[in-house]
Amino acid sequence: MACVVAARPTSVRTFGARTTRRNVTMKAGNWLPGSDTPAYLEALPASYGFDPLGLAKEPSSLARFRESEVIHGRWAMLGAAGVLGVEVLGYGNWYDAPLPLVQGGSATYFGASVPFDLGTLAAIEFAAMAGAESFRGQAEAEKRVYPGGAFDPMGMSKGNLDELKTKEIKNGRLAMVACLGFAAQHAATGASPLAALGAHLANPFTANFATNGVSLPLA
């Protein structure tokens, strides 16, 4: 990613004489080399000036998009960890995990049977999510995204908050792409992520996106 270097002059007094020096700051380049960052995206964490259609020009739209991206990114990070974690620990794979419940049986959680049917689980999740979102929706805009307080028991936000926000949104974006990749990969090959990775590492020239018969239909 390209960087933009900007120099800002400042005056410094040394031994009675005033000298001028330049402070150099670096900014991450834009998603499109040579393009300008829209003014409304300048101060956002991990912003690369991406809004080619100008959808976030209105402050209300920008606030809604920011909130949605962070929340979806957090869910995706949990999802990606769950998809890989269940397979690493030997409890099957993400795609087959809910099938017993959908087929009238009972679900399991880390090998333990869950004593609820699909309707009961759906009702519990609906009530829990509705309650949480109701409380979140009553908070002010910034607190809806970064509540702090009881949600930061280790006090991690007391450090460089801007840096933490940047790391979170970058990892959230990566996790959203990963979850999309997990779903697309299963649709193409029917294999779980680690099983597909193992097959690729064992024979990278015959097990890849170009040979699964779906990504490139002519393969």
Side-chain angles (χ1 to χ4, degrees), residues 31 37 72 78 82-83 100 111 139 144 161 164 178 180 185 195 213 216:
W31 70 281
T37 298
H72 281 83
L78 288 172
V83 166
R144 287 203 301 268
L161 190 56
L164 294 175
L180 177 62
Q185 170 266 322
L216 296 179

Side-chain angles (χ1 to χ4, degrees), residues 116-190:
F116 301 113
D117 58 19
L118 180 60
T120 303
L121 280 176
I124 293 173
E125 291 179 6
F126 178 82
M129 288 298 299
E133 284 298 296
S134 176
F135 282 112
R136 194 174 70 86
Q138 295 173 13
E140 58 187 57
E142 189 68 12
K143 289 293 185 181
R144 287 203 301 268
V145 185
Y146 304 104
F151 294 94
D152 185 21
M154 299 178 66
M156 297 181 67
S157 63
K158 293 179 181 179
N160 188 335
L161 190 56
D162 289 336
E163 181 182 356
L164 294 175
K165 288 179 179 180
T166 298
K167 290 180 177 179
E168 181 186 40
I169 197 62
K170 285 185 174 182
N171 282 280
R173 289 167 181 169
L174 179 61
M176 287 188 279
V177 174
C179 287
L180 177 62
F182 293 155
Q185 170 266 322
H186 187 276
T189 67

Side-chain angles (χ1 to χ4, degrees), residues 43-60:
L44 300 184
S47 171
Y48 295 94
F50 182 79
D51 188 20
L53 300 180
L55 299 178
K57 285 182 178 180
E58 295 296 327
S60 58

Side-chain angles (χ1 to χ4, degrees), residues 2-173:
C3 290
V4 177
V5 180
R8 183 178 57 189
T10 55
S11 296
V12 179
R13 183 177 294 277
T14 305
F15 298 110
R18 183 174 295 276
T19 60
T20 300
R21 70 182 183 186
R22 292 180 177 272
N23 294 330
V24 178
T25 59
M26 300 189 71
K27 174 181 176 296
N30 284 359
W31 70 281
L32 183 64
S35 64
D36 295 326
T37 298
Y40 53 86
L41 298 180
E42 281 284 357
L44 300 184
S47 171
Y48 295 94
F50 182 79
D51 188 20
L53 300 180
L55 299 178
K57 285 182 178 180
E58 295 296 327
S60 58
S61 296
L62 178 59
R64 180 166 58 87
F65 291 151
R66 284 188 63 199
E67 179 180 347
S68 297
E69 183 180 33
V70 172
I71 298 302
H72 281 83
R74 289 171 181 168
W75 280 115
M77 286 188 281
L78 288 172
V83 166
L84 298 176
V86 69
E87 192 172 356
V88 168
L89 295 174
Y91 292 108
N93 62 74
W94 72 273
Y95 188 82
D96 294 334
L99 292 183
L101 190 65
V102 174
Q103 294 169 353
S106 60
T108 59
Y109 185 75
F110 288 104
S113 179
V114 178
F116 301 113
D117 58 19
L118 180 60
T120 303
L121 280 176
I124 293 173
E125 291 179 6
F126 178 82
M129 288 298 299
E133 284 298 296
S134 176
F135 282 112
R136 194 174 70 86
Q138 295 173 13
E140 58 187 57
E142 189 68 12
K143 289 293 185 181
R144 287 203 301 268
V145 185
Y146 304 104
F151 294 94
D152 185 21
M154 299 178 66
M156 297 181 67
S157 63
K158 293 179 181 179
N160 188 335
L161 190 56
D162 289 336
E163 181 182 356
L164 294 175
K165 288 179 179 180
T166 298
K167 290 180 177 179
E168 181 186 40
I169 197 62
K170 285 185 174 182
N171 282 280
R173 289 167 181 169

